[in-house]
PDB file of all heavy atoms in Angstrom:
ATOM      1  N   LEU B 752     -27.157   7.138  14.791  1.00 97.00           N
ATOM      2  CA  LEU B 752     -27.744   8.151  13.913  1.00 97.00           C
ATOM      3  C   LEU B 752     -28.448   9.236  14.723  1.00 97.00           C
ATOM      4  O   LEU B 752     -28.408  10.427  14.358  1.00 97.00           O
ATOM      5  CB  LEU B 752     -28.729   7.504  12.938  1.00 97.00           C
ATOM      6  CG  LEU B 752     -28.155   6.513  11.914  1.00 97.00           C
ATOM      7  CD1 LEU B 752     -29.245   6.051  10.959  1.00 97.00           C
ATOM      8  CD2 LEU B 752     -27.015   7.134  11.142  1.00 97.00           C
ATOM      9  N   GLY B 753     -29.081   8.842  15.829  1.00 96.00           N
ATOM     10  CA  GLY B 753     -29.730   9.833  16.682  1.00 96.00           C
ATOM     11  C   GLY B 753     -28.733  10.802  17.279  1.00 96.00           C
ATOM     12  O   GLY B 753     -28.988  12.023  17.335  1.00 96.00           O
ATOM     13  N   ALA B 754     -27.591  10.289  17.740  1.00 96.00           N
ATOM     14  CA  ALA B 754     -26.551  11.172  18.281  1.00 96.00           C
ATOM     15  C   ALA B 754     -26.017  12.097  17.203  1.00 96.00           C
ATOM     16  O   ALA B 754     -25.768  13.287  17.440  1.00 96.00           O
ATOM     17  CB  ALA B 754     -25.420  10.327  18.878  1.00 96.00           C
ATOM     18  N   TRP B 755     -25.858  11.583  15.990  1.00 97.00           N
ATOM     19  CA  TRP B 755     -25.356  12.407  14.894  1.00 97.00           C
ATOM     20  C   TRP B 755     -26.328  13.533  14.552  1.00 97.00           C
ATOM     21  O   TRP B 755     -25.884  14.652  14.244  1.00 97.00           O
ATOM     22  CB  TRP B 755     -25.121  11.534  13.662  1.00 97.00           C
ATOM     23  CG  TRP B 755     -23.892  10.666  13.766  1.00 97.00           C
ATOM     24  CD1 TRP B 755     -22.960  10.669  14.749  1.00 97.00           C
ATOM     25  CD2 TRP B 755     -23.484   9.661  12.830  1.00 97.00           C
ATOM     26  NE1 TRP B 755     -21.999   9.733  14.497  1.00 97.00           N
ATOM     27  CE2 TRP B 755     -22.288   9.095  13.329  1.00 97.00           C
ATOM     28  CE3 TRP B 755     -24.014   9.164  11.636  1.00 97.00           C
ATOM     29  CZ2 TRP B 755     -21.613   8.074  12.639  1.00 97.00           C
ATOM     30  CZ3 TRP B 755     -23.343   8.163  10.960  1.00 97.00           C
ATOM     31  CH2 TRP B 755     -22.158   7.630  11.456  1.00 97.00           C
ATOM     32  N   ARG B 756     -27.609  13.250  14.584  1.00 96.00           N
ATOM     33  CA  ARG B 756     -28.583  14.313  14.293  1.00 96.00           C
ATOM     34  C   ARG B 756     -28.424  15.472  15.267  1.00 96.00           C
ATOM     35  O   ARG B 756     -28.482  16.647  14.890  1.00 96.00           O
ATOM     36  CB  ARG B 756     -30.009  13.767  14.366  1.00 96.00           C
ATOM     37  CG  ARG B 756     -30.390  12.848  13.231  1.00 96.00           C
ATOM     38  CD  ARG B 756     -31.863  12.472  13.275  1.00 96.00           C
ATOM     39  NE  ARG B 756     -32.055  11.136  12.710  1.00 96.00           N
ATOM     40  CZ  ARG B 756     -32.220  10.043  13.418  1.00 96.00           C
ATOM     41  NH1 ARG B 756     -32.259  10.121  14.750  1.00 96.00           N
ATOM     42  NH2 ARG B 756     -32.368   8.872  12.835  1.00 96.00           N
ATOM     43  N   VAL B 757     -28.223  15.122  16.524  1.00 96.00           N
ATOM     44  CA  VAL B 757     -28.058  16.151  17.556  1.00 96.00           C
ATOM     45  C   VAL B 757     -26.793  16.965  17.298  1.00 96.00           C
ATOM     46  O   VAL B 757     -26.801  18.206  17.347  1.00 96.00           O
ATOM     47  CB  VAL B 757     -28.012  15.494  18.950  1.00 96.00           C
ATOM     48  CG1 VAL B 757     -27.524  16.482  19.998  1.00 96.00           C
ATOM     49  CG2 VAL B 757     -29.385  14.944  19.314  1.00 96.00           C
ATOM     50  N   ALA B 758     -25.662  16.266  17.027  1.00 96.00           N
ATOM     51  CA  ALA B 758     -24.394  16.958  16.803  1.00 96.00           C
ATOM     52  C   ALA B 758     -24.463  17.827  15.551  1.00 96.00           C
ATOM     53  O   ALA B 758     -23.970  18.967  15.537  1.00 96.00           O
ATOM     54  CB  ALA B 758     -23.261  15.942  16.689  1.00 96.00           C
ATOM     55  N   GLN B 759     -25.094  17.318  14.516  1.00 95.00           N
ATOM     56  CA  GLN B 759     -25.200  18.075  13.273  1.00 95.00           C
ATOM     57  C   GLN B 759     -26.058  19.326  13.472  1.00 95.00           C
ATOM     58  O   GLN B 759     -25.742  20.392  12.917  1.00 95.00           O
ATOM     59  CB  GLN B 759     -25.794  17.199  12.174  1.00 95.00           C
ATOM     60  CG  GLN B 759     -25.824  17.865  10.800  1.00 95.00           C
ATOM     61  CD  GLN B 759     -26.441  16.977   9.746  1.00 95.00           C
ATOM     62  OE1 GLN B 759     -27.351  16.200  10.032  1.00 95.00           O
ATOM     63  NE2 GLN B 759     -25.945  17.073   8.516  1.00 95.00           N
ATOM     64  N   CYS B 760     -27.084  19.208  14.249  1.00 95.00           N
ATOM     65  CA  CYS B 760     -27.937  20.368  14.518  1.00 95.00           C
ATOM     66  C   CYS B 760     -27.200  21.422  15.325  1.00 95.00           C
ATOM     67  O   CYS B 760     -27.366  22.621  15.103  1.00 95.00           O
ATOM     68  CB  CYS B 760     -29.191  19.904  15.256  1.00 95.00           C
ATOM     69  SG  CYS B 760     -30.380  21.223  15.587  1.00 95.00           S
ATOM     70  N   GLU B 782     -31.886  12.168   6.255  1.00 92.00           N
ATOM     71  CA  GLU B 782     -31.586  10.864   6.832  1.00 92.00           C
ATOM     72  C   GLU B 782     -30.671  10.022   5.941  1.00 92.00           C
ATOM     73  O   GLU B 782     -29.819   9.288   6.429  1.00 92.00           O
ATOM     74  CB  GLU B 782     -32.902  10.111   7.080  1.00 92.00           C
ATOM     75  CG  GLU B 782     -32.782   8.953   8.043  1.00 92.00           C
ATOM     76  CD  GLU B 782     -32.507   9.409   9.473  1.00 92.00           C
ATOM     77  OE1 GLU B 782     -32.636  10.619   9.750  1.00 92.00           O
ATOM     78  OE2 GLU B 782     -32.154   8.561  10.297  1.00 92.00           O
TER      79      GLU B 782
END
Side-chain angles (χ1 to χ4, degrees):
L752 295 184
W755 285 354
R756 289 187 210 101
V757 167
Q759 185 181 33
C760 183
E782 198 69 12

